[in-house]
Amino acid sequence: MSTSHHPFYMAELVWPQVEKYLQSRQDVIVPVGSTEQHGPTGLLGIDFLSSFKIALEVGAQTQTLVSPPLPFGMALHHMAFPGTISLTPVTYIQVLNEIFRSLTQHGFKKIWVINGHGGNIAPLTTAFCEFLDRDQKTEFQLINWWHLPEVTEYEQKVFGDLNGFHATCGEVSLTQYTHTAAYQQIPKLDLKEAGPAKTRWPLSPIEFRQHFPDGRMGSQPNLASPEHGKIIFDKAVQAITRKMTA
Ligand code: NI
């Protein structure tokens, strides 16, 4: 994983470089995620930090421009936990539309959205539909990195059902690998079983906290490790790179 300068990260370029890129390429990667609770031992930024780091590496390997990440998403169901910052669905869809409009006005035609948060899937899909109703020339590809078969197979093999549905061993592991120093500051906790994650859905924020008092949904992130995280990161990067170059 490259750590310092990212030659395909737009925020570290100047506009003539983007203009030159657009003369031969019209594809771009947009990383999206969320800022929300991930249990007592997972970073609030997991969902956008993970998609951003994956996007940077995929961008480097496929020589595709990467936009800055969108750190806020649709996380209203996590709002009973402090530190969560959520947009309402209508606002989020609008923000996505305006990001897509900015990119397409400059000539981008194919937008790869690398997403790190389940609550974003419905509004993302809605935003694509709205956008395509006005602009039929743009192509969208949504990649939810934790849903990639290469990732889920590995997580099932090493974590089994204790991977859980939120604050999963997989996403905690991945960010323990990419953000090792941040995790070294987090107190180690002896987490008990999180209990069954199945419930009716969606829940109100208060109901969510009643069902899942420490924020985890069926996960045992004590099983997470940066070593697993590196393997999951590499699998996600390889799988997305394969999709993009197929
Ligand atoms: Ni997450």
Side-chain angles (χ1 to χ4, degrees):
M1 184 179 53
S2 37
T3 48
S4 49
H5 171 60
H6 300 279
F8 288 90
Y9 179 33
M10 266 192 216
E12 297 180 11
L13 299 178
V14 293
W15 71 260
Q17 290 176 298
V18 177
E19 193 168 73
K20 185 161 184 286
Y21 175 93
L22 280 162
Q23 286 166 7
S24 59
R25 296 274 296 267
Q26 291 80 41
D27 51 342
V28 61
I29 300 169
V30 177
V32 304
S34 176
T35 299
E36 65 185 42
Q37 70 84 12
H38 276 83
T41 60
L43 302 181
L44 288 157
I46 281 180
D47 293 356
F48 82 90
L49 297 174
S50 59
S51 61
F52 183 39
K53 288 287 186 179
I54 291 169
L56 286 177
E57 189 59 27
V58 170
Q61 294 205 7
T62 61
Q63 308 201 327
T64 308
L65 285 191
V66 178
S67 83
L70 181 54
F72 307 120
M74 208 306 283
L76 292 177
H77 46 294
H78 293 298
M79 279 300 291
F81 297 88
T84 300
I85 301 175
S86 180
L87 303 176
T88 58
V90 166
T91 305
Y92 185 46
I93 291 165
Q94 187 69 17
V95 169
L96 291 167
N97 265 289
E98 294 182 15
I99 292 169
F100 301 151
R101 193 181 59 181
S102 301
L103 291 166
T104 57
Q105 276 185 7
H106 298 134
F108 289 102
K109 292 193 171 72
K110 179 156 190 171
I111 300 177
W112 297 88
V113 177
I114 299 184
N115 175 37
H117 174 50
N120 289 349
I121 295 174
L124 276 165
T125 308
T126 304
F128 298 157
C129 292
E130 268 193 19
F131 198 88
L132 291 170
D133 186 51
R134 297 188 305 271
D135 171 348
Q136 293 167 16
K137 291 193 289 292
T138 302
E139 188 182 327
F140 293 100
Q141 288 278 351
L142 175 60
I143 295 172
N144 304 304
W145 73 256
W146 75 101
H147 277 171
L148 292 163
E150 293 86 343
V151 169
T152 56
E153 276 162 27
Y154 181 78
E155 290 179 351
Q156 183 61 36
K157 189 177 76 183
V158 295
F159 305 126
D161 290 344
L162 293 175
N163 192 46
F165 296 90
H166 181 66
T168 66
C169 303
E171 60 183 349
V172 171
S173 293
L174 190 144
T175 48
Q176 284 178 343
Y177 166 58
T178 57
H179 294 75
T180 309
Y183 278 97
Q184 282 164 353
Q185 306 305 315
I186 295 172
K188 302 277 179 285
L189 296 176
D190 184 17
L191 296 174
K192 301 285 173 280
E193 292 281 307
K198 293 287 179 205
T199 175
R200 82 184 144 75
W201 190 260
L203 301 176
S204 75
I206 300 296
E207 287 175 318
F208 187 105
R209 188 156 174 169
Q210 284 167 351
H211 274 269
F212 308 109
D214 73 2
R216 292 176 294 149
M217 296 174 74
S219 71
Q220 177 44 283
N222 282 354
L223 299 175
S225 76
E227 292 75 24
H228 287 313
K230 178 179 174 13
I231 294 169
I232 293 166
F233 180 87
D234 290 343
K235 283 181 182 292
V237 167
Q238 282 165 19
I240 299 169
T241 298
R242 262 201 306 277
K243 269 183 201 287
M244 288 181 61
T245 53

